[in-house]
Amino acid sequence: MLSSLFGDLRTIRGNPAPEDPDHGFAATAILESVATEVNDRGQMVDSHQRDLVVSGSPAQAIRDHFTATRSDLDTATRLIALYDPTAVWASAVIKALSDASGRPIERLHLREQGTLRTLATIERTTLERRNEDMLRIYHADVRAPGTANAAVPLALMERSHMTAVIVGAMQPHAIDEMLDTLQAAVRHANWRCPTLLFMLPPNAVWIANKIGMIEWPARLKVQVLNEALTSASAVWNSLLGMWNRVKKEPVWGPPPALAPGLDGFQIKVADLSSTGASVAGAKVSLPVSAPAAAYDATVPLRRPLLDPALADRALDVLSALDGLFACAVVDASSGLILARQERKDQPVELDLAAAASAQLMRSHQHLARQLGLTTEIDEVMTSAGPRHHVMRNAARHKGLFLFAVLDKQRTNLALARYKLMEAEQSLG
């Protein structure tokens, strides 16, 4: 019997199957130490460290253990997993919580059998709050390459009550790889985490739109926060605010009922709002029994149907406006442009502007619902520098809006709004 960060993690005894000799897990404690340190506030804090030599798959061992001990998330200890691809904030958040509470940071070093190199380091601290359930916050820092080692943080996320993905300064290709990894993870047979929180830096509209375009499982609540990540306490306060919102929501339940003849579960296109992403949109059937690797490819989005001839006719109405830089018909759920017209002599980053405007339109619609308004938002206007951005909701084509970029000095704004109304009516 081995005591670890997860409770009692038993080694697999007996002879492994001959045809599957390397898929077991063995762990031996080679060092267990407790050192007392003084934190920045003068508190005495015990630092608990354990070194484990492992063979086989440590991620699978964590999955097996959580399957047995955390099968019912309603009664299991509240667990929040931190996923920090850039390794900037997660460890600092755990240290800040340990310093504030006086509770120790427990570390588990997973070492490879034979070489004793560190595969991953798992950190945990416990947070007790008055009149609240105890929280355990986990973070896994992967130190060695390889898919087996990269699966360790995913195994921690699968049975947590909320996973916070802290997105720092990352290249676009790294963002795409991270989202592909998470898409495969949430469709894994062991996934039970009900809430996935993306913590993005300010002005990361393009990342938010990528998240909103992904086909997440219908049972998963995807939330997005765009806030300045200036300190560990700021990260934790934002994370805790979201936890207080979702902690009483139902955990991962049974899949939605399928229509006759479908084998799989339903997935919906995420509709991103200013405070989070709620699911709404097209249904896609995926086989339940397929392996996670089968879901690496992105499922194409189903856009609202629109006759291209009608879209071109609507934009022709706008093209006669004096001072028009560009105009487009935009899908509000994804920010993708369905039809467009631009002036070649004064180019505009229309794709980026449309994506940002789609997020703004969704934010206003979300706020309108919170205020109890029963009608849709008709029009949104913004002004920045020499330009006006005008968005007109297409009432007869739900999910679409007309978007115009105008020269503030040359455009008659009242006439432009009238032309947008006329263009909307021409959509049919």
Side-chain angles (χ1 to χ4, degrees):
M1 190 70 70
L2 175 67
S3 177
S4 76
L5 290 182
F6 312 104
D8 292 325
L9 183 61
R10 292 188 293 271
T11 58
I12 297 178
R13 300 183 182 279
N15 295 325
E19 66 274 12
D20 194 21
D22 297 326
H23 289 180
F25 175 84
T28 305
I30 61 172
L31 175 63
E32 183 168 346
S33 64
V34 178
T36 302
E37 301 175 349
V38 180
N39 64 19
D40 297 336
R41 301 174 59 184
Q43 297 172 315
M44 304 293 289
V45 179
D46 291 335
S47 176
H48 296 255
Q49 298 190 39
R50 299 179 180 90
D51 286 5
L52 300 182
V53 176
V54 300
S55 64
S57 171
Q60 188 58 44
I62 294 171
R63 289 190 176 106
D64 293 342
H65 181 72
F66 277 179
T67 300
T69 61
R70 300 182 61 83
S71 58
D72 185 1
L73 289 184
D74 282 323
T75 59
T77 304
R78 302 300 177 188
L79 191 158
I80 296 177
L82 306 181
Y83 185 56
D84 186 5
T86 57
V88 174
W89 291 115
S91 293
V93 168
I94 289 180
K95 183 180 186 304
L97 292 176
S98 175
D99 291 345
S101 64
R103 300 297 297 268
I105 299 177
E106 298 170 273
R107 293 185 177 90
L108 182 67
H109 300 283
L110 302 179
R111 299 188 183 276
E112 185 179 44
Q113 189 177 43
T115 65
L116 295 183
R117 67 168 178 163
T118 301
L119 303 178
T121 298
I122 300 173
E123 296 180 318
R124 185 190 81 177
T125 192
T126 303
L127 182 64
E128 294 184 2
R129 304 165 62 202
R130 182 176 299 178
N131 301 323
E132 296 283 348
D133 293 329
M134 181 176 65
L135 282 176
R136 288 180 176 172
I137 298 90
Y138 280 83
H139 165 61
D141 181 16
V142 178
R143 303 290 183 86
T147 56
N149 300 323
V152 170
L154 303 179
L156 292 179
M157 294 156 57
E158 289 171 356
R159 299 279 174 162
S160 65
H161 287 84
M162 185 173 80
T163 293
V165 182
I166 307 172
V167 181
M170 301 174 65
Q171 295 293 327
H173 69 88
I175 294 289
D176 292 337
E177 291 173 2
M178 178 192 71
L179 293 177
D180 288 343
T181 298
L182 292 174
Q183 285 184 74
V186 300
R187 296 183 178 101
H188 194 280
N190 286 330
W191 186 274
R192 294 295 183 274
C193 177
T195 302
L196 188 61
L197 169 64
F198 287 91
M199 305 185 71
L200 309 181
N203 303 321
V205 177
W206 65 278
I207 303 177
N209 279 285
K210 282 180 177 288
I211 296 169
M213 292 166 59
I214 291 174
E215 304 274 354
W216 300 105
R219 293 174 289 174
L220 180 67
K221 294 181 285 291
V222 179
Q223 308 286 347
V224 176
L225 290 178
N226 293 82
E227 296 184 6
L229 307 179
T230 57
S231 65
S233 59
V235 174
W236 172 250
N237 288 336
S238 299
L239 191 156
L240 184 61
M242 183 59 67
W243 168 252
N244 288 333
R245 289 179 51 195
V246 304
K247 62 184 178 182
K248 294 184 179 179
E249 294 186 9
V251 296
W252 191 270
L258 294 177
L262 294 180
D263 296 325
F265 58 89
Q266 296 174 351
I267 295 179
K268 299 183 179 181
V269 178
D271 179 17
L272 191 64
S273 67
S274 60
T275 57
S278 58
V279 288
K283 298 177 181 178
V284 180
S285 175
L286 296 175
V288 173
S289 58
Y295 302 114
D296 285 346
T298 303
V299 181
L301 291 173
R302 189 173 69 184
R303 299 180 182 178
L305 296 177
L306 177 67
D307 186 347
L310 291 178
D312 291 337
R313 186 170 67 185
L315 297 184
D316 287 338
V317 173
L318 295 175
S319 63
L321 273 173
D322 187 28
L324 178 76
F325 287 129
C327 56
V329 180
V330 183
D331 180 354
S333 65
S334 64
L336 297 177
I337 293 176
L338 306 184
R340 66 200 297 159
Q341 286 192 15
E342 301 175 75
R343 289 182 55 179
K344 295 183 179 180
D345 58 332
Q346 292 182 317
V348 176
E349 293 184 354
L350 190 57
D351 291 295
L352 179 59
S357 298
Q359 186 180 27
L360 182 61
M361 179 68 78
R362 291 194 300 267
S363 300
H364 279 275
Q365 291 172 343
H366 177 75
L367 179 60
R369 290 192 295 268
Q370 287 186 325
L371 294 175
L373 301 180
T374 57
T375 57
E376 293 286 336
I377 295 293
D378 294 326
E379 188 179 81
V380 175
M381 292 185 297
T382 64
S383 296
R387 294 179 181 176
H388 289 303
H389 288 189
V390 186
M391 293 143 271
R392 178 78 189 180
N393 193 31
R396 298 180 184 178
H397 294 270
K398 191 171 181 63
L400 300 181
F401 68 91
L402 288 159
F403 174 55
V405 182
L406 307 169
D407 186 338
K408 186 185 293 185
Q409 300 298 325
R410 296 175 53 199
T411 302
N412 183 326
L413 189 56
L415 178 61
R417 294 177 61 193
Y418 176 79
K419 286 293 185 181
L420 276 168
M421 294 174 60
E422 186 178 342
E424 178 207 344
Q425 293 174 358
S426 68
L427 286 176

